[in-house]
Amino acid sequence: MGKARFLLPTFMFLAGTAVAIYLIMTITKPVPPTSLLPPTLSQNLGTDIVAIMIIAFPIFLIEYVVFAVPAAVVLLVITKIVKSTRYEMNIMNIGRDFNGTQIIRRAAAPALFSVASSQLFRGVIENILFPVGYNPEAALRPLHEAGLSLMSALLFVPIALILFMPTWILNDAGVVTHLKSDHLELRQTPDTQGVGRWIANMLGGYALLAFPITMFLSQFYNPLILPILQGTIPPDQITDLVIYQGSLGLLWTLGLPFFVMAYILPVIMFNEALQTRSTVRILRLAQRLGAKIIRKEQITEIKRPSLRIVEDQSATVDLWAKAQNQEIVTSSKKIKKSDTKIKSNNVQKKSNKKKESKKASKKPKKK
């Protein structure tokens, strides 16, 4: 894996972060500074947010070094305890390629999680960042809700990273859980899943469910539907507002995760730089917990013998029977219990015919 795979994530980080900073500076230009930074460094709310974003990058890296591997260890032990009755935990020999597209895709789940979760604390964050009773200018009012969502999501990123960084380490190490051999005899499909993906799927499932709901409330209901229901918008302006705010809300719903993903990408690239070291530590712990190295599962097609079956129902029965290691007798449409029994019966018939032929050969010929 060369360094060229970092070109696309780096470009996305620079472009997305630059556009996000421009939007924040434009929206918050008339807003007075907060008390988060010294007065000598603050000009307005926009400079405060940008300064916090810049300071956050080294904090993210320190957060990774301090919390990522220990949190992965805790998740590994918890998984071992919770799934010990039905599942085995082993180390799968997985591939090692991880290109730029995969790096970008890894940022999607924590970005959606940040956007969705930050909306729960939207009122608190607005009271901290904006003065009490702040009413934006008419030209900036449609962008106010979008800018507040962006700033809230960026401030929530550190919490999302604490939850998702351990899952990256576990996925890269190849630690998996799979059903024990005795459970495979039951009527259920094989279940092999990475420990990190098991945790990430739960967090990602919440994000996929909460994201559209929160974006509808913040980008459509609050700035558009609620004022219309309250009658605060003149009737002759409703059509223009619906077109403008609806287009802006749709654009921002699609674009907001992009900006947050761009902000998260440096941490993922930092994880790639330390991936070997963290993987070795996790694998050592997994082996202490009894994990063994296993091969990747291979799914191969079962070759069916050629049988002339006309009806679809017969084809379905045939497929079921073959899966149960049975055989269809096409003349009577009955299922015999086992191929081995059929073979043994055929062998017995052949042996009986041989015995009869031998007896016939021993009989004296009539003169």
Side-chain angles (χ1 to χ4, degrees):
M1 294 184 295
K3 296 182 180 179
R5 62 194 179 109
F6 295 119
L7 292 178
L8 182 60
T10 301
F11 173 77
M12 180 176 174
F13 160 67
L14 295 176
T17 305
V19 175
I21 291 175
Y22 174 78
L23 291 174
I24 291 174
M25 294 295 292
T26 301
I27 296 169
T28 60
K29 186 176 181 179
V31 183
T34 64
S35 58
L36 300 176
L37 297 177
T40 55
L41 299 177
S42 299
Q43 298 179 0
N44 52 44
L45 178 60
T47 57
D48 289 358
I49 297 297
V50 173
I52 293 173
M53 290 174 61
I54 296 173
I55 295 172
F57 281 119
I59 295 177
F60 291 163
L61 304 183
I62 295 173
E63 184 179 69
Y64 178 90
V65 173
V66 175
F67 294 105
V69 174
V73 170
V74 173
L75 293 179
L76 197 63
V77 175
I78 293 175
T79 304
K80 176 67 176 180
I81 297 173
V82 172
K83 290 193 168 186
S84 59
T85 56
R86 300 180 60 212
Y87 289 83
E88 293 182 7
M89 187 170 66
N90 287 311
I91 302 167
M92 183 171 287
N93 186 18
I94 61 175
R96 293 302 170 190
D97 291 338
F98 203 77
N99 54 30
T101 304
Q102 295 296 111
I103 293 175
I104 294 175
R105 289 178 59 184
R106 177 168 278 185
L112 294 177
F113 184 88
S114 299
V115 174
S117 301
S118 63
Q119 302 306 308
L120 301 176
F121 306 95
R122 181 186 178 89
V124 177
I125 296 175
E126 185 175 13
N127 293 333
I128 295 175
L129 298 179
F130 293 89
V132 179
Y134 171 74
N135 189 16
E137 300 177 1
L140 297 177
R141 192 172 298 140
L143 295 174
H144 175 72
E145 297 291 335
L148 181 59
S149 298
L150 175 60
M151 290 182 287
S152 302
L154 294 178
L155 293 176
F156 205 84
V157 165
I159 300 175
L161 289 179
I162 291 179
L163 298 175
F164 279 92
M165 286 188 299
T167 66
W168 304 341
I169 296 176
L170 292 172
N171 287 333
D172 294 337
V175 183
V176 300
T177 57
H178 56 90
L179 281 172
K180 294 181 179 180
S181 57
D182 55 342
H183 287 276
L184 292 176
E185 298 177 359
L186 303 176
R187 191 173 58 196
Q188 56 183 337
T189 57
D191 184 10
T192 302
Q193 189 177 39
V195 175
R197 185 167 295 279
W198 177 56
I199 304 296
N201 284 347
M202 292 188 290
L203 299 174
Y206 154 76
L208 288 176
L209 179 63
F211 174 75
I213 297 175
T214 55
M215 292 306 294
F216 171 77
L217 293 176
S218 63
Q219 304 304 320
F220 296 96
Y221 182 78
N222 291 333
L224 179 61
I225 299 177
L226 186 60
I228 293 176
L229 295 177
Q230 293 177 344
T232 57
I233 300 176
D236 57 340
Q237 298 180 7
I238 292 179
T239 303
D240 295 336
L241 179 63
V242 169
I243 296 174
Y244 179 76
Q245 184 61 47
S247 303
L248 181 63
L250 180 61
L251 179 63
W252 202 251
T253 300
L254 300 176
L256 182 57
F258 169 81
F259 298 128
V260 183
M261 287 172 61
Y263 193 60
I264 295 174
L265 285 176
V267 185
I268 300 178
M269 290 187 283
F270 185 72
N271 171 70
E272 288 297 304
L274 300 181
Q275 187 261 333
T276 302
R277 183 183 304 176
S278 59
T279 297
V280 170
R281 296 173 63 180
I282 292 299
L283 293 182
R284 287 177 180 173
L285 175 63
Q287 289 179 338
R288 292 178 183 177
L289 295 175
K292 300 177 182 178
I293 298 177
I294 59 176
R295 293 181 180 178
K296 288 187 290 187
E297 294 179 342
Q298 293 183 354
I299 300 176
T300 56
E301 181 183 358
I302 299 176
K303 301 297 183 180
R304 293 173 50 194
S306 58
L307 295 174
R308 296 185 60 184
I309 301 176
V310 180
E311 300 178 358
D312 294 338
Q313 184 177 2
S314 300
T316 304
V317 175
D318 178 28
L319 182 60
W320 179 86
K322 292 299 178 184
Q324 302 296 324
N325 194 24
Q326 297 172 355
E327 180 176 332
I328 296 293
V329 180
T330 55
S331 60
S332 60
K333 297 295 185 295
K334 293 181 181 179
I335 299 175
K336 294 187 178 181
K337 292 296 182 181
S338 175
D339 288 339
T340 56
K341 291 184 178 180
I342 296 172
K343 292 179 180 178
S344 61
N345 292 334
N346 293 334
V347 172
Q348 186 67 30
K349 290 179 180 179
K350 289 181 180 179
S351 62
N352 293 335
K353 288 181 180 179
K354 289 181 179 180
K355 290 180 180 179
E356 291 177 359
S357 62
K358 287 181 180 180
K359 290 180 179 179
S361 61
K362 289 181 180 179
K363 289 181 178 180
K365 297 182 179 179
K366 294 182 180 180
K367 293 183 180 181

